Amino acid sequence: MESIKISDTLDITDVVCPVTFARTLLKLEDMQVGEVLEVFLNEGEPLHNVPKSITNEGHKVILLEKAGNRYRMLVERGE
Amino acid sequence: MSFTEEQIIRYSRHIILREVGSKGQKKLNEGKVLIVGAGGLGSPAAYYLAAAGVGTICVIDDDVVDLSNLQRQILHTTGDVGRAKADSAKEKLTALNPDCRVISLHERLSAGNALEIIKEYDAVVDGTDNFPTRFLINDACIMVKKPFFHGGILRFFGQALTVIPGQGPCYRCIFGQPPPPGSAPTCAEAGVLGVLAGTIGVIQATEVLKYLLGLGDLLVGRLLTYDALSMQFREIQVKKNPDCPVCSDNPTITGLVDYEQQVCTLREGE
């Protein structure tokens, strides 16, 4: 399996909408185009909305997988 | 400057707006706005600007809170009757958003202090209840090249206009000069449906936020009028007066004057 270099990690399991999305956006803003952010999120509303919203902002969700009782998402920063 | 965790939460609904984002929110946090008058228009305008995170808000008003103000001046409460409006305003705005530095000036904006005060700010909101002060603010804003966000209400009517020096018409281009004392109804003579203050004050605040963010189309050269009874907004195209005494290339008004004040003189017990 191709290894992905993760530049930064963010845990948004302790906040709710819209702070989940806001914190993810702010973190991506501080990164370079092409860098990968690892995000841990809860199922339900965050899982339903955050990946979709991040994609709409021009970033690329490259992995979304269950990790224990939460989810792990890898996002590549877009332009 | 990076956001604190509390700021990320407080401003999250702004940050997630693509057109605002963290950069826009920072512009708001660095913005400095002067509100002339903590009354009907100034109250909702100041309240939303503080909520939005505008970094510095100065409220200037020489009046004290009267019971008859509370029908529309939502920054003040029954317990504030008799207090300086500027102080009452500062208390409410600071309680709403401690991020916001609020400066309260318990004095009247006059020919003597207007330029000195206005030059410190990025935007000036018209929350006055009289023509002389409104013309004074307009003239001062043209002289120190500051945007002026006009609003006015009477009975069931309201209007708003944004003046950006060097771009569109100024208030004087359209309205000429203050009406002679006695000809214009003062608030002592004319009633107003209180909620109109909210409608128009919030339009002024919207224009200020758009200006600070560099977004959208401002009410420059467009006088927005509102009739609450028919619930209709209209837009009147207004042009710069090439012979305007204050904003034309050859102005005849180059200094400020205090016109005879005709303000609300009807006070309870008087």
Side-chain angles (χ1 to χ4, degrees):
Chain A
M1 188 179 139
E2 190 188 351
S3 72
I4 298 167
K5 185 174 178 291
I6 293 166
S7 300
D8 212 338
T9 293
L10 178 69
D11 184 345
I12 54 168
T13 57
D14 57 341
V15 287
V16 295
C17 172
V19 182
T20 44
F21 178 40
R23 283 184 58 178
T24 310
L25 271 183
L26 288 172
K27 195 61 130 178
L28 285 164
E29 239 177 49
D30 289 337
M31 297 168 56
Q32 304 294 318
V33 174
E35 284 188 332
V36 173
L37 173 68
E38 177 184 50
V39 183
F40 291 100
L41 62 164
N42 288 329
E43 58 184 347
E45 189 276 327
L47 180 65
H48 184 73
N49 287 322
V50 175
K52 197 161 59 185
S53 301
I54 287 294
T55 304
N56 286 343
E57 290 299 313
H59 305 295
K60 193 174 165 192
V61 176
I62 52 178
L63 180 80
L64 190 56
E65 63 180 8
K66 198 159 171 44
N69 57 355
R70 55 188 187 170
Y71 279 78
R72 175 175 178 259
M73 172 174 73
L74 294 184
V75 189
E76 187 184 304
R77 193 208 195 277
E79 297 284 344
Chain B
M1 179 198 106
S2 62
F3 296 114
T4 63
E5 196 57 30
E6 194 181 300
Q7 287 172 322
I8 293 173
I9 298 169
R10 182 183 288 271
Y11 306 121
S12 55
R13 293 279 175 185
H14 275 167
I15 291 169
I16 64 174
L17 275 174
R18 188 177 303 168
E19 294 81 354
V20 179
S22 64
K23 288 187 184 71
Q25 186 58 48
K26 280 171 191 162
K27 287 181 192 168
L28 298 182
N29 294 144
E30 286 160 9
K32 298 167 82 174
V33 178
L34 174 67
I35 316 265
V36 184
L41 296 168
S43 284
Y47 219 45
Y48 269 107
L49 292 173
V54 169
T56 306
I57 294 179
C58 175
V59 178
I60 180 167
D61 199 313
D62 69 338
D63 207 1
V64 295
V65 179
D66 187 270
L67 189 58
S68 67
N69 299 152
L70 304 184
Q71 161 252 24
R72 65 196 179 286
Q73 303 185 10
I74 59 166
L75 273 180
H76 316 298
T77 67
T78 309
D80 293 317
V81 171
R83 280 182 79 191
K85 285 187 184 177
D87 294 341
S88 165
K90 178 176 179 166
E91 182 186 290
K92 309 310 181 329
L93 298 173
T94 306
L96 172 62
N97 189 352
D99 275 355
C100 180
R101 187 170 73 105
V102 183
I103 300 163
S104 65
L105 299 177
H106 182 54
E107 58 186 293
R108 174 168 283 276
L109 194 79
S110 68
N113 64 15
L115 295 175
E116 205 59 27
I117 293 171
I118 288 174
K119 72 176 172 56
E120 299 297 322
Y121 295 90
D122 303 320
V124 182
V125 175
D126 171 11
T128 67
D129 61 356
N130 66 88
F131 289 102
T133 307
R134 195 162 277 150
F135 276 88
L136 177 79
I137 305 170
N138 176 74
D139 296 356
C141 284
I142 295 294
M143 288 170 194
V144 293
K145 297 186 169 58
K146 298 289 183 179
F148 166 48
F149 300 84
H150 160 66
I153 52 169
L154 191 68
R155 293 172 51 78
F156 300 96
F157 305 101
Q159 65 180 35
L161 174 80
T162 297
V163 175
I164 306 289
Q167 289 188 22
C170 76
Y171 184 80
R172 206 180 264 281
C173 287
I174 305 163
F175 299 103
Q177 56 189 11
S183 66
T186 66
C187 56
E189 295 156 1
V192 62
L193 193 70
V195 69
L196 270 279
T199 315
I200 299 298
V202 167
I203 287 173
Q204 291 173 276
T206 308
E207 288 284 285
V208 171
L209 293 177
K210 282 162 56 189
Y211 173 78
L212 293 175
L213 291 166
L215 285 180
D217 299 316
L218 296 168
L219 284 173
V220 173
R222 300 186 288 145
L223 179 69
L224 186 72
T225 68
Y226 171 55
D227 179 343
L229 291 182
S230 62
M231 196 46 87
Q232 282 179 319
F233 283 93
R234 282 184 57 209
E235 195 178 299
I236 301 167
Q237 303 296 320
V238 283
K239 288 199 170 66
K240 203 171 158 72
N241 173 5
D243 301 318
C244 176
V246 69
C247 81
S248 66
D249 292 338
N250 300 300
T252 53
I253 296 173
T254 52
L256 299 176
V257 288
D258 285 315
Y259 293 95
E260 188 181 336
Q261 295 286 346
Q262 187 192 28
V263 297
C264 187
T265 52
L266 185 70
R267 294 273 165 69
E268 209 170 9
E270 283 182 22

